[in-house]
Amino acid sequence: MSHAEVLIAAQPAPPKTVTKLSKARIAGYFFLTLWAVLGISLLAMIISGWDVDKLETYGPRLLHGLWITVKLVATSFILGAILSIPLAFARMSSNKILSTLTYCYVYLFRGTPLLAQIFMVYYGFPSFRWFFEDIGLWWFFKDPFYCGVFAMTLNTAAYQTEIVRGAIQSVPKGQREAASALGIHTWIAFRKIIIPQALIVALRPYGNEIILLIKSSATVSIITVFDLMGETRYAFSRTYDYQIYLWAAIFYLVIVELMRNGWARMEGGLTRHLKR
């Protein structure tokens, strides 16, 4: 066993490197200061312009609109998730006709604006009122809230179809081959081996999709749905106080932050075995 016969003399600590202020750093400090000043000014403006009478008059309406927004987004997202599962399998199907039709559906709803889709449902379907009356569905399509749910469900189902398809295909093919070699039934292997791994991959895109859906839900106010944005527009038309829109923005920000943090906690809990 070798050992050192002469100890290396202690060396002085290296001199501290002086970081010079670059142009990028100066620009970053400038914009951070600007944003801080704007934020403080906005907060001061809200506090100074606080009107208790308007809050008492329109506060309950905004809370009711908030509930409508939550119900609209939750219903659309859940129905879209249910619809996306068979669509994802159809998208991955070896049947060319089935996969092509599903691809066209996904391409159409992902490639066109949600607002145009809502208009097509709300203003286009009444042209076939006689047909919907014959099959007993006119009560559904004459209600703007249900039209909004229908359009948003079809829209989010297209995005969720690609999320599910991508998550399933991200699982290595060897997982299926190993399950088959062990004699595990295809459905059991899919439910206990493929889905848990695919779910981890799909968690983050699902979170992004629901956040985008929350913000996109404001478009249904155009078709007279009194969600949060619809109630905000109503309050503004009575008061002409632009701070109403600031409060609506704060409501949306709170919803998104609650969803983002809750989703992050759930993702952390489900992926805790991957952390070291």
Side-chain angles (χ1 to χ4, degrees):
M1 176 182 238
S2 62
H3 61 277
E5 296 180 355
V6 180
L7 295 177
I8 300 175
Q11 300 293 322
K16 292 183 178 179
T17 56
V18 179
T19 56
K20 297 181 180 180
L21 286 177
S22 62
K23 294 181 179 180
R25 187 180 293 271
I26 294 173
Y29 286 145
F30 171 76
F31 283 111
L32 283 176
T33 304
L34 180 62
W35 277 110
V37 170
L38 289 176
I40 294 172
S41 302
L42 181 62
L43 184 61
M45 182 180 59
I46 293 175
I47 294 175
S48 62
W50 182 272
D51 193 334
V52 179
D53 293 334
K54 290 179 183 177
L55 183 64
E56 292 178 350
T57 303
Y58 300 105
R61 294 188 66 101
L62 292 178
L63 290 177
H64 176 263
L66 179 62
W67 164 243
I68 295 297
T69 296
V70 172
K71 186 167 64 171
L72 178 69
V73 171
T75 305
S76 303
F77 186 80
I78 293 172
L79 292 177
I82 296 172
L83 183 61
S84 67
I85 295 174
L87 287 175
F89 283 105
R91 183 83 171 81
M92 296 183 293
S93 174
S94 57
N95 189 322
K96 294 296 183 181
I97 297 176
L98 191 60
S99 61
T100 301
L101 290 175
T102 311
Y103 170 79
C104 292
Y105 162 77
V106 172
Y107 180 82
L108 175 65
F109 279 90
R110 292 179 68 197
T112 55
L114 176 60
L115 182 60
Q117 297 164 19
I118 292 174
F119 281 167
M120 286 294 294
V121 173
Y122 186 68
Y123 294 112
F125 281 21
S127 301
F128 304 95
R129 176 175 178 175
W130 56 272
F131 173 74
F132 292 116
E133 285 181 343
D134 289 342
I135 63 177
L137 286 178
W138 177 240
W139 63 271
F140 183 89
F141 289 105
K142 74 177 182 180
D143 190 303
F145 177 80
Y146 292 137
C147 287
V149 169
F150 184 78
M152 289 177 62
T153 297
L154 294 179
N155 181 272
T156 189
Y159 284 94
Q160 293 186 51
T161 296
E162 290 300 288
I163 292 173
V164 174
R165 181 184 69 87
I168 292 175
Q169 291 183 340
S170 69
V171 179
K173 188 178 180 181
Q175 300 282 348
R176 300 179 179 86
E177 294 174 350
S180 178
L182 292 172
I184 301 176
H185 191 272
T186 304
W187 169 244
I188 297 176
F190 181 78
R191 182 167 58 90
K192 294 190 175 183
I193 298 174
I194 307 301
I195 285 295
Q197 297 180 74
L199 181 61
I200 294 174
V201 177
L203 275 176
R204 187 59 60 88
Y206 265 127
N208 293 337
E209 172 59 23
I210 194 171
I211 288 173
L212 289 174
L213 196 63
I214 290 171
K215 294 185 287 186
S216 301
S217 65
T219 55
V220 299
S221 62
I222 303 297
I223 57 171
T224 68
V225 176
F226 284 96
D227 64 330
L228 178 57
M229 185 55 65
E231 294 290 2
T232 302
R233 293 176 60 198
Y234 173 83
F236 180 77
S237 67
R238 296 296 187 273
T239 63
Y240 294 100
D241 186 356
Y242 68 93
Q243 290 194 33
I244 297 292
Y245 284 105
L246 292 178
W247 286 110
I250 291 172
F251 274 124
Y252 279 111
L253 183 62
V254 170
I255 297 173
V256 169
E257 279 301 306
L258 289 175
M259 178 57 61
R260 186 181 65 84
N261 285 280
W263 206 269
R265 285 180 175 273
M266 182 180 67
E267 183 181 3
L270 291 174
T271 59
R272 62 185 180 274
H273 62 286
L274 300 176
K275 298 177 182 178
R276 297 186 182 275

